[in-house]
Structure formats: C-alpha cells, structure tokens
Amino acid sequence: MELDYRAIGKRIKIERIKADLTQEKLAEMSGVSPAHMSNIETGTTRVSLTTMVAIANALGVTLDDLICDNLIHARVQFEQDIADTLSDCDTYEIRMIADMAQALKDTLRKDAHLRSQL
C-alpha cells in the first residue's frame, strides 16, 4: 500500500492554520527545517513516523487526524471533518447541506452494486 503524502500534507497544513502557526514556527516546534516542513505540506517528500509524531504533538492532534485519508477505519476523523465544516454554517446552509447529504446517501445506497464492479 502506498501512502498518500499529499493528503497527509494537506491535513498538516489545515491543522497548522487552525492552530494559527506559521510553517516556520511548526517546523521549529517539530524539530525540522522550514524547507522540509514545506515539502511535507506539499506532499513532495516522505515523512518519517518520528517526524509525524513530532508534528502531531506540536499541533495537539492525533496521528489519526493527520493520516485518516490513508486509513480504512477512520470514521471518527471524517465525522469530525463534517462537524468542522458545519460549525460556521447558518440555518439555511445546514438545511441545504443536510438535504444534499441525504440525496447523496440515497444515491450511494441505490447504486451500491456498482462498487463491486469498480
């Protein structure tokens, strides 16, 4: 199995921005160079487990939060992503998103037999 380092980097960047940290500050807190942190966030380099742990600790998140796109069992992280997405929505936006989510779910279940054909 090949890891999706771009997805990992994207999640690190999102968490860094949410923590109001610069790339340079996160690099310093994680014990890596700013250039290496930039490469990690863009997914152009493989990141070691030791560095991933250091980044997660610096950001105050779990490794699951950073690598969930590579995990089969990551329901909790994706549920949190949905909650984060909805957190700043007004009532109208939430209602529309709920309607779209229900329609998408209905379609996915109706066409579930197509999964086995992929």
PDB file of all heavy atoms in Angstrom, residues 43-79:
ATOM      1  N   GLY A  43       3.478  17.469   0.143  1.00  0.00           N
ATOM      2  CA  GLY A  43       3.487  16.040  -0.176  1.00  0.00           C
ATOM      3  C   GLY A  43       4.589  15.628  -1.115  1.00  0.00           C
ATOM      4  O   GLY A  43       4.529  14.561  -1.718  1.00  0.00           O
ATOM      5  N   THR A  44       5.622  16.453  -1.237  1.00  0.00           N
ATOM      6  CA  THR A  44       6.706  16.136  -2.167  1.00  0.00           C
ATOM      7  C   THR A  44       7.816  15.320  -1.521  1.00  0.00           C
ATOM      8  O   THR A  44       8.792  14.988  -2.183  1.00  0.00           O
ATOM      9  CB  THR A  44       7.303  17.420  -2.779  1.00  0.00           C
ATOM     10  OG1 THR A  44       7.730  18.278  -1.727  1.00  0.00           O
ATOM     11  CG2 THR A  44       6.274  18.134  -3.639  1.00  0.00           C
ATOM     12  N   THR A  45       7.666  15.031  -0.247  1.00  0.00           N
ATOM     13  CA  THR A  45       8.656  14.214   0.449  1.00  0.00           C
ATOM     14  C   THR A  45       7.945  13.217   1.344  1.00  0.00           C
ATOM     15  O   THR A  45       6.827  13.447   1.777  1.00  0.00           O
ATOM     16  CB  THR A  45       9.607  15.096   1.296  1.00  0.00           C
ATOM     17  OG1 THR A  45      10.664  14.301   1.785  1.00  0.00           O
ATOM     18  CG2 THR A  45       8.899  15.750   2.455  1.00  0.00           C
ATOM     19  N   ARG A  46       8.599  12.116   1.587  1.00  0.00           N
ATOM     20  CA  ARG A  46       8.084  11.137   2.541  1.00  0.00           C
ATOM     21  C   ARG A  46       8.471  11.608   3.926  1.00  0.00           C
ATOM     22  O   ARG A  46       9.592  12.039   4.147  1.00  0.00           O
ATOM     23  CB  ARG A  46       8.661   9.752   2.263  1.00  0.00           C
ATOM     24  CG  ARG A  46       8.191   9.184   0.955  1.00  0.00           C
ATOM     25  CD  ARG A  46       8.884   7.873   0.661  1.00  0.00           C
ATOM     26  NE  ARG A  46       8.445   7.362  -0.610  1.00  0.00           N
ATOM     27  CZ  ARG A  46       7.757   6.232  -0.743  1.00  0.00           C
ATOM     28  NH1 ARG A  46       7.474   5.495   0.300  1.00  0.00           N
ATOM     29  NH2 ARG A  46       7.367   5.836  -1.924  1.00  0.00           N
ATOM     30  N   VAL A  47       7.544  11.484   4.841  1.00  0.00           N
ATOM     31  CA  VAL A  47       7.800  11.947   6.196  1.00  0.00           C
ATOM     32  C   VAL A  47       7.901  10.737   7.116  1.00  0.00           C
ATOM     33  O   VAL A  47       7.118   9.793   7.007  1.00  0.00           O
ATOM     34  CB  VAL A  47       6.703  12.947   6.650  1.00  0.00           C
ATOM     35  CG1 VAL A  47       5.325  12.355   6.579  1.00  0.00           C
ATOM     36  CG2 VAL A  47       6.977  13.502   8.015  1.00  0.00           C
ATOM     37  N   SER A  48       8.883  10.758   8.001  1.00  0.00           N
ATOM     38  CA  SER A  48       9.108   9.623   8.904  1.00  0.00           C
ATOM     39  C   SER A  48       8.060   9.607  10.005  1.00  0.00           C
ATOM     40  O   SER A  48       7.431  10.625  10.320  1.00  0.00           O
ATOM     41  CB  SER A  48      10.499   9.712   9.530  1.00  0.00           C
ATOM     42  OG  SER A  48      10.549  10.768  10.473  1.00  0.00           O
ATOM     43  N   LEU A  49       7.898   8.448  10.617  1.00  0.00           N
ATOM     44  CA  LEU A  49       6.967   8.309  11.730  1.00  0.00           C
ATOM     45  C   LEU A  49       7.380   9.220  12.881  1.00  0.00           C
ATOM     46  O   LEU A  49       6.534   9.867  13.511  1.00  0.00           O
ATOM     47  CB  LEU A  49       6.899   6.847  12.190  1.00  0.00           C
ATOM     48  CG  LEU A  49       5.939   6.547  13.332  1.00  0.00           C
ATOM     49  CD1 LEU A  49       4.516   6.963  12.976  1.00  0.00           C
ATOM     50  CD2 LEU A  49       5.986   5.067  13.682  1.00  0.00           C
ATOM     51  N   THR A  50       8.666   9.307  13.151  1.00  0.00           N
ATOM     52  CA  THR A  50       9.161  10.165  14.227  1.00  0.00           C
ATOM     53  C   THR A  50       8.760  11.613  13.980  1.00  0.00           C
ATOM     54  O   THR A  50       8.295  12.305  14.896  1.00  0.00           O
ATOM     55  CB  THR A  50      10.699  10.057  14.333  1.00  0.00           C
ATOM     56  OG1 THR A  50      11.046   8.690  14.540  1.00  0.00           O
ATOM     57  CG2 THR A  50      11.239  10.899  15.460  1.00  0.00           C
ATOM     58  N   THR A  51       8.917  12.079  12.752  1.00  0.00           N
ATOM     59  CA  THR A  51       8.550  13.450  12.411  1.00  0.00           C
ATOM     60  C   THR A  51       7.042  13.633  12.484  1.00  0.00           C
ATOM     61  O   THR A  51       6.557  14.665  12.969  1.00  0.00           O
ATOM     62  CB  THR A  51       9.086  13.836  11.022  1.00  0.00           C
ATOM     63  OG1 THR A  51      10.522  13.702  11.031  1.00  0.00           O
ATOM     64  CG2 THR A  51       8.706  15.249  10.644  1.00  0.00           C
ATOM     65  N   MET A  52       6.291  12.634  12.031  1.00  0.00           N
ATOM     66  CA  MET A  52       4.824  12.718  12.110  1.00  0.00           C
ATOM     67  C   MET A  52       4.363  12.860  13.554  1.00  0.00           C
ATOM     68  O   MET A  52       3.472  13.661  13.855  1.00  0.00           O
ATOM     69  CB  MET A  52       4.182  11.477  11.486  1.00  0.00           C
ATOM     70  CG  MET A  52       4.237  11.441   9.977  1.00  0.00           C
ATOM     71  SD  MET A  52       3.210  12.704   9.207  1.00  0.00           S
ATOM     72  CE  MET A  52       1.606  12.232   9.795  1.00  0.00           C
ATOM     73  N   VAL A  53       4.960  12.099  14.456  1.00  0.00           N
ATOM     74  CA  VAL A  53       4.610  12.186  15.877  1.00  0.00           C
ATOM     75  C   VAL A  53       4.948  13.570  16.413  1.00  0.00           C
ATOM     76  O   VAL A  53       4.161  14.181  17.138  1.00  0.00           O
ATOM     77  CB  VAL A  53       5.296  11.069  16.690  1.00  0.00           C
ATOM     78  CG1 VAL A  53       5.149  11.303  18.183  1.00  0.00           C
ATOM     79  CG2 VAL A  53       4.734   9.703  16.306  1.00  0.00           C
ATOM     80  N   ALA A  54       6.110  14.088  16.040  1.00  0.00           N
ATOM     81  CA  ALA A  54       6.512  15.424  16.489  1.00  0.00           C
ATOM     82  C   ALA A  54       5.542  16.484  15.981  1.00  0.00           C
ATOM     83  O   ALA A  54       5.154  17.394  16.729  1.00  0.00           O
ATOM     84  CB  ALA A  54       7.935  15.731  16.027  1.00  0.00           C
ATOM     85  N   ILE A  55       5.116  16.373  14.737  1.00  0.00           N
ATOM     86  CA  ILE A  55       4.169  17.333  14.162  1.00  0.00           C
ATOM     87  C   ILE A  55       2.820  17.227  14.858  1.00  0.00           C
ATOM     88  O   ILE A  55       2.215  18.235  15.231  1.00  0.00           O
ATOM     89  CB  ILE A  55       4.038  17.121  12.639  1.00  0.00           C
ATOM     90  CG1 ILE A  55       5.342  17.513  11.932  1.00  0.00           C
ATOM     91  CG2 ILE A  55       2.855  17.909  12.081  1.00  0.00           C
ATOM     92  CD1 ILE A  55       5.410  17.101  10.466  1.00  0.00           C
ATOM     93  N   ALA A  56       2.338  16.007  15.046  1.00  0.00           N
ATOM     94  CA  ALA A  56       1.050  15.806  15.719  1.00  0.00           C
ATOM     95  C   ALA A  56       1.085  16.387  17.127  1.00  0.00           C
ATOM     96  O   ALA A  56       0.146  17.072  17.554  1.00  0.00           O
ATOM     97  CB  ALA A  56       0.692  14.317  15.749  1.00  0.00           C
ATOM     98  N   ASN A  57       2.175  16.130  17.850  1.00  0.00           N
ATOM     99  CA  ASN A  57       2.304  16.679  19.204  1.00  0.00           C
ATOM    100  C   ASN A  57       2.339  18.203  19.190  1.00  0.00           C
ATOM    101  O   ASN A  57       1.718  18.851  20.030  1.00  0.00           O
ATOM    102  CB  ASN A  57       3.548  16.117  19.893  1.00  0.00           C
ATOM    103  CG  ASN A  57       3.360  14.685  20.333  1.00  0.00           C
ATOM    104  OD1 ASN A  57       2.249  14.223  20.569  1.00  0.00           O
ATOM    105  ND2 ASN A  57       4.464  13.957  20.443  1.00  0.00           N
ATOM    106  N   ALA A  58       3.056  18.776  18.240  1.00  0.00           N
ATOM    107  CA  ALA A  58       3.144  20.231  18.146  1.00  0.00           C
ATOM    108  C   ALA A  58       1.782  20.848  17.837  1.00  0.00           C
ATOM    109  O   ALA A  58       1.459  21.935  18.326  1.00  0.00           O
ATOM    110  CB  ALA A  58       4.166  20.631  17.081  1.00  0.00           C
ATOM    111  N   LEU A  59       0.987  20.144  17.041  1.00  0.00           N
ATOM    112  CA  LEU A  59      -0.332  20.656  16.659  1.00  0.00           C
ATOM    113  C   LEU A  59      -1.419  20.301  17.673  1.00  0.00           C
ATOM    114  O   LEU A  59      -2.537  20.814  17.596  1.00  0.00           O
ATOM    115  CB  LEU A  59      -0.719  20.105  15.282  1.00  0.00           C
ATOM    116  CG  LEU A  59       0.109  20.614  14.107  1.00  0.00           C
ATOM    117  CD1 LEU A  59      -0.219  19.821  12.847  1.00  0.00           C
ATOM    118  CD2 LEU A  59      -0.150  22.110  13.888  1.00  0.00           C
ATOM    119  N   GLY A  60      -1.112  19.386  18.575  1.00  0.00           N
ATOM    120  CA  GLY A  60      -2.115  18.964  19.546  1.00  0.00           C
ATOM    121  C   GLY A  60      -3.203  18.098  18.946  1.00  0.00           C
ATOM    122  O   GLY A  60      -4.368  18.173  19.350  1.00  0.00           O
ATOM    123  N   VAL A  61      -2.831  17.285  17.947  1.00  0.00           N
ATOM    124  CA  VAL A  61      -3.778  16.383  17.299  1.00  0.00           C
ATOM    125  C   VAL A  61      -3.217  14.959  17.355  1.00  0.00           C
ATOM    126  O   VAL A  61      -2.078  14.752  17.752  1.00  0.00           O
ATOM    127  CB  VAL A  61      -4.042  16.796  15.822  1.00  0.00           C
ATOM    128  CG1 VAL A  61      -4.637  18.201  15.746  1.00  0.00           C
ATOM    129  CG2 VAL A  61      -2.768  16.724  14.987  1.00  0.00           C
ATOM    130  N   THR A  62      -4.022  14.005  16.934  1.00  0.00           N
ATOM    131  CA  THR A  62      -3.548  12.623  16.895  1.00  0.00           C
ATOM    132  C   THR A  62      -2.994  12.307  15.510  1.00  0.00           C
ATOM    133  O   THR A  62      -3.281  13.016  14.531  1.00  0.00           O
ATOM    134  CB  THR A  62      -4.688  11.628  17.195  1.00  0.00           C
ATOM    135  OG1 THR A  62      -5.628  11.645  16.112  1.00  0.00           O
ATOM    136  CG2 THR A  62      -5.400  11.965  18.505  1.00  0.00           C
ATOM    137  N   LEU A  63      -2.233  11.243  15.436  1.00  0.00           N
ATOM    138  CA  LEU A  63      -1.762  10.786  14.128  1.00  0.00           C
ATOM    139  C   LEU A  63      -2.936  10.435  13.228  1.00  0.00           C
ATOM    140  O   LEU A  63      -2.899  10.689  12.025  1.00  0.00           O
ATOM    141  CB  LEU A  63      -0.837   9.574  14.277  1.00  0.00           C
ATOM    142  CG  LEU A  63       0.595   9.866  14.690  1.00  0.00           C
ATOM    143  CD1 LEU A  63       1.368   8.572  14.850  1.00  0.00           C
ATOM    144  CD2 LEU A  63       1.288  10.769  13.698  1.00  0.00           C
ATOM    145  N   ASP A  64      -3.977   9.845  13.812  1.00  0.00           N
ATOM    146  CA  ASP A  64      -5.169   9.520  13.024  1.00  0.00           C
ATOM    147  C   ASP A  64      -5.733  10.755  12.331  1.00  0.00           C
ATOM    148  O   ASP A  64      -6.194  10.686  11.195  1.00  0.00           O
ATOM    149  CB  ASP A  64      -6.257   8.895  13.894  1.00  0.00           C
ATOM    150  CG  ASP A  64      -5.961   7.464  14.282  1.00  0.00           C
ATOM    151  OD1 ASP A  64      -4.978   6.890  13.773  1.00  0.00           O
ATOM    152  OD2 ASP A  64      -6.721   6.911  15.096  1.00  0.00           O
ATOM    153  N   ASP A  65      -5.703  11.891  13.025  1.00  0.00           N
ATOM    154  CA  ASP A  65      -6.197  13.132  12.429  1.00  0.00           C
ATOM    155  C   ASP A  65      -5.411  13.501  11.176  1.00  0.00           C
ATOM    156  O   ASP A  65      -5.958  14.071  10.236  1.00  0.00           O
ATOM    157  CB  ASP A  65      -6.107  14.293  13.424  1.00  0.00           C
ATOM    158  CG  ASP A  65      -7.062  14.148  14.594  1.00  0.00           C
ATOM    159  OD1 ASP A  65      -8.137  13.557  14.432  1.00  0.00           O
ATOM    160  OD2 ASP A  65      -6.717  14.628  15.692  1.00  0.00           O
ATOM    161  N   LEU A  66      -4.130  13.175  11.163  1.00  0.00           N
ATOM    162  CA  LEU A  66      -3.267  13.559  10.042  1.00  0.00           C
ATOM    163  C   LEU A  66      -3.231  12.524   8.923  1.00  0.00           C
ATOM    164  O   LEU A  66      -3.012  12.884   7.769  1.00  0.00           O
ATOM    165  CB  LEU A  66      -1.834  13.817  10.542  1.00  0.00           C
ATOM    166  CG  LEU A  66      -1.688  14.915  11.599  1.00  0.00           C
ATOM    167  CD1 LEU A  66      -0.235  15.038  12.018  1.00  0.00           C
ATOM    168  CD2 LEU A  66      -2.239  16.242  11.097  1.00  0.00           C
ATOM    169  N   ILE A  67      -3.441  11.260   9.240  1.00  0.00           N
ATOM    170  CA  ILE A  67      -3.306  10.219   8.216  1.00  0.00           C
ATOM    171  C   ILE A  67      -4.625   9.532   7.863  1.00  0.00           C
ATOM    172  O   ILE A  67      -4.634   8.540   7.141  1.00  0.00           O
ATOM    173  CB  ILE A  67      -2.263   9.156   8.624  1.00  0.00           C
ATOM    174  CG1 ILE A  67      -2.721   8.382   9.855  1.00  0.00           C
ATOM    175  CG2 ILE A  67      -0.907   9.784   8.832  1.00  0.00           C
ATOM    176  CD1 ILE A  67      -1.876   7.162  10.167  1.00  0.00           C
ATOM    177  N   CYS A  68      -5.752  10.069   8.340  1.00  0.00           N
ATOM    178  CA  CYS A  68      -7.035   9.384   8.165  1.00  0.00           C
ATOM    179  C   CYS A  68      -7.383   9.101   6.706  1.00  0.00           C
ATOM    180  O   CYS A  68      -8.095   8.143   6.421  1.00  0.00           O
ATOM    181  CB  CYS A  68      -8.156  10.136   8.859  1.00  0.00           C
ATOM    182  SG  CYS A  68      -8.489  11.770   8.193  1.00  0.00           S
ATOM    183  N   ASP A  69      -6.878   9.894   5.776  1.00  0.00           N
ATOM    184  CA  ASP A  69      -7.160   9.635   4.354  1.00  0.00           C
ATOM    185  C   ASP A  69      -6.501   8.344   3.877  1.00  0.00           C
ATOM    186  O   ASP A  69      -6.848   7.822   2.821  1.00  0.00           O
ATOM    187  CB  ASP A  69      -6.683  10.806   3.492  1.00  0.00           C
ATOM    188  CG  ASP A  69      -7.423  12.085   3.830  1.00  0.00           C
ATOM    189  OD1 ASP A  69      -8.646  12.128   3.649  1.00  0.00           O
ATOM    190  OD2 ASP A  69      -6.770  13.031   4.319  1.00  0.00           O
ATOM    191  N   ASN A  70      -5.566   7.837   4.649  1.00  0.00           N
ATOM    192  CA  ASN A  70      -4.869   6.603   4.311  1.00  0.00           C
ATOM    193  C   ASN A  70      -5.383   5.408   5.106  1.00  0.00           C
ATOM    194  O   ASN A  70      -4.898   4.297   4.932  1.00  0.00           O
ATOM    195  CB  ASN A  70      -3.366   6.758   4.575  1.00  0.00           C
ATOM    196  CG  ASN A  70      -2.719   7.710   3.595  1.00  0.00           C
ATOM    197  OD1 ASN A  70      -2.376   7.337   2.495  1.00  0.00           O
ATOM    198  ND2 ASN A  70      -2.581   8.968   3.999  1.00  0.00           N
ATOM    199  N   LEU A  71      -6.333   5.641   6.012  1.00  0.00           N
ATOM    200  CA  LEU A  71      -6.854   4.583   6.869  1.00  0.00           C
ATOM    201  C   LEU A  71      -8.203   4.076   6.373  1.00  0.00           C
ATOM    202  O   LEU A  71      -9.014   4.855   5.889  1.00  0.00           O
ATOM    203  CB  LEU A  71      -7.022   5.097   8.305  1.00  0.00           C
ATOM    204  CG  LEU A  71      -5.768   5.604   9.005  1.00  0.00           C
ATOM    205  CD1 LEU A  71      -6.148   6.233  10.344  1.00  0.00           C
ATOM    206  CD2 LEU A  71      -4.794   4.461   9.206  1.00  0.00           C
ATOM    207  N   ILE A  72      -8.427   2.796   6.529  1.00  0.00           N
ATOM    208  CA  ILE A  72      -9.721   2.225   6.177  1.00  0.00           C
ATOM    209  C   ILE A  72     -10.743   2.550   7.256  1.00  0.00           C
ATOM    210  O   ILE A  72     -11.881   2.898   6.969  1.00  0.00           O
ATOM    211  CB  ILE A  72      -9.600   0.700   5.970  1.00  0.00           C
ATOM    212  CG1 ILE A  72      -8.714   0.422   4.761  1.00  0.00           C
ATOM    213  CG2 ILE A  72     -10.971   0.056   5.813  1.00  0.00           C
ATOM    214  CD1 ILE A  72      -8.319  -1.030   4.600  1.00  0.00           C
ATOM    215  N   HIS A  73     -10.335   2.465   8.506  1.00  0.00           N
ATOM    216  CA  HIS A  73     -11.235   2.698   9.636  1.00  0.00           C
ATOM    217  C   HIS A  73     -10.938   4.057  10.251  1.00  0.00           C
ATOM    218  O   HIS A  73     -10.204   4.152  11.230  1.00  0.00           O
ATOM    219  CB  HIS A  73     -11.081   1.584  10.679  1.00  0.00           C
ATOM    220  CG  HIS A  73     -11.322   0.226  10.107  1.00  0.00           C
ATOM    221  ND1 HIS A  73     -12.577  -0.231   9.802  1.00  0.00           N
ATOM    222  CD2 HIS A  73     -10.480  -0.757   9.756  1.00  0.00           C
ATOM    223  CE1 HIS A  73     -12.493  -1.448   9.304  1.00  0.00           C
ATOM    224  NE2 HIS A  73     -11.219  -1.789   9.259  1.00  0.00           N
ATOM    225  N   ALA A  74     -11.504   5.110   9.676  1.00  0.00           N
ATOM    226  CA  ALA A  74     -11.240   6.462  10.153  1.00  0.00           C
ATOM    227  C   ALA A  74     -12.536   7.246  10.310  1.00  0.00           C
ATOM    228  O   ALA A  74     -12.569   8.450  10.126  1.00  0.00           O
ATOM    229  CB  ALA A  74     -10.295   7.176   9.197  1.00  0.00           C
ATOM    230  N   ARG A  75     -13.592   6.557  10.664  1.00  0.00           N
ATOM    231  CA  ARG A  75     -14.908   7.177  10.751  1.00  0.00           C
ATOM    232  C   ARG A  75     -14.918   8.407  11.663  1.00  0.00           C
ATOM    233  O   ARG A  75     -15.481   9.442  11.325  1.00  0.00           O
ATOM    234  CB  ARG A  75     -15.934   6.154  11.223  1.00  0.00           C
ATOM    235  CG  ARG A  75     -17.341   6.704  11.301  1.00  0.00           C
ATOM    236  CD  ARG A  75     -18.321   5.659  11.817  1.00  0.00           C
ATOM    237  NE  ARG A  75     -19.637   6.229  11.910  1.00  0.00           N
ATOM    238  CZ  ARG A  75     -20.647   5.855  11.151  1.00  0.00           C
ATOM    239  NH1 ARG A  75     -20.496   4.903  10.266  1.00  0.00           N
ATOM    240  NH2 ARG A  75     -21.828   6.433  11.291  1.00  0.00           N
ATOM    241  N   VAL A  76     -14.312   8.278  12.833  1.00  0.00           N
ATOM    242  CA  VAL A  76     -14.332   9.375  13.804  1.00  0.00           C
ATOM    243  C   VAL A  76     -13.722  10.646  13.207  1.00  0.00           C
ATOM    244  O   VAL A  76     -14.270  11.739  13.363  1.00  0.00           O
ATOM    245  CB  VAL A  76     -13.603   8.977  15.108  1.00  0.00           C
ATOM    246  CG1 VAL A  76     -13.450  10.149  16.043  1.00  0.00           C
ATOM    247  CG2 VAL A  76     -14.337   7.833  15.785  1.00  0.00           C
ATOM    248  N   GLN A  77     -12.609  10.506  12.505  1.00  0.00           N
ATOM    249  CA  GLN A  77     -11.959  11.684  11.923  1.00  0.00           C
ATOM    250  C   GLN A  77     -12.835  12.327  10.851  1.00  0.00           C
ATOM    251  O   GLN A  77     -12.928  13.552  10.780  1.00  0.00           O
ATOM    252  CB  GLN A  77     -10.597  11.308  11.331  1.00  0.00           C
ATOM    253  CG  GLN A  77      -9.529  11.081  12.369  1.00  0.00           C
ATOM    254  CD  GLN A  77      -9.689   9.755  13.114  1.00  0.00           C
ATOM    255  OE1 GLN A  77     -10.231   8.803  12.578  1.00  0.00           O
ATOM    256  NE2 GLN A  77      -9.240   9.710  14.340  1.00  0.00           N
ATOM    257  N   PHE A  78     -13.493  11.501  10.031  1.00  0.00           N
ATOM    258  CA  PHE A  78     -14.332  12.072   8.981  1.00  0.00           C
ATOM    259  C   PHE A  78     -15.605  12.689   9.557  1.00  0.00           C
ATOM    260  O   PHE A  78     -16.087  13.710   9.058  1.00  0.00           O
ATOM    261  CB  PHE A  78     -14.638  11.033   7.907  1.00  0.00           C
ATOM    262  CG  PHE A  78     -13.422  10.689   7.083  1.00  0.00           C
ATOM    263  CD1 PHE A  78     -12.868   9.427   7.114  1.00  0.00           C
ATOM    264  CD2 PHE A  78     -12.811  11.649   6.295  1.00  0.00           C
ATOM    265  CE1 PHE A  78     -11.744   9.121   6.376  1.00  0.00           C
ATOM    266  CE2 PHE A  78     -11.674  11.356   5.552  1.00  0.00           C
ATOM    267  CZ  PHE A  78     -11.140  10.091   5.589  1.00  0.00           C
ATOM    268  N   GLU A  79     -16.134  12.103  10.626  1.00  0.00           N
ATOM    269  CA  GLU A  79     -17.272  12.725  11.299  1.00  0.00           C
ATOM    270  C   GLU A  79     -16.874  14.082  11.870  1.00  0.00           C
ATOM    271  O   GLU A  79     -17.645  15.042  11.808  1.00  0.00           O
ATOM    272  CB  GLU A  79     -17.813  11.813  12.398  1.00  0.00           C
ATOM    273  CG  GLU A  79     -18.573  10.619  11.851  1.00  0.00           C
ATOM    274  CD  GLU A  79     -18.988   9.612  12.925  1.00  0.00           C
ATOM    275  OE1 GLU A  79     -18.485   9.704  14.075  1.00  0.00           O
ATOM    276  OE2 GLU A  79     -19.818   8.746  12.616  1.00  0.00           O
TER     277      GLU A  79
END
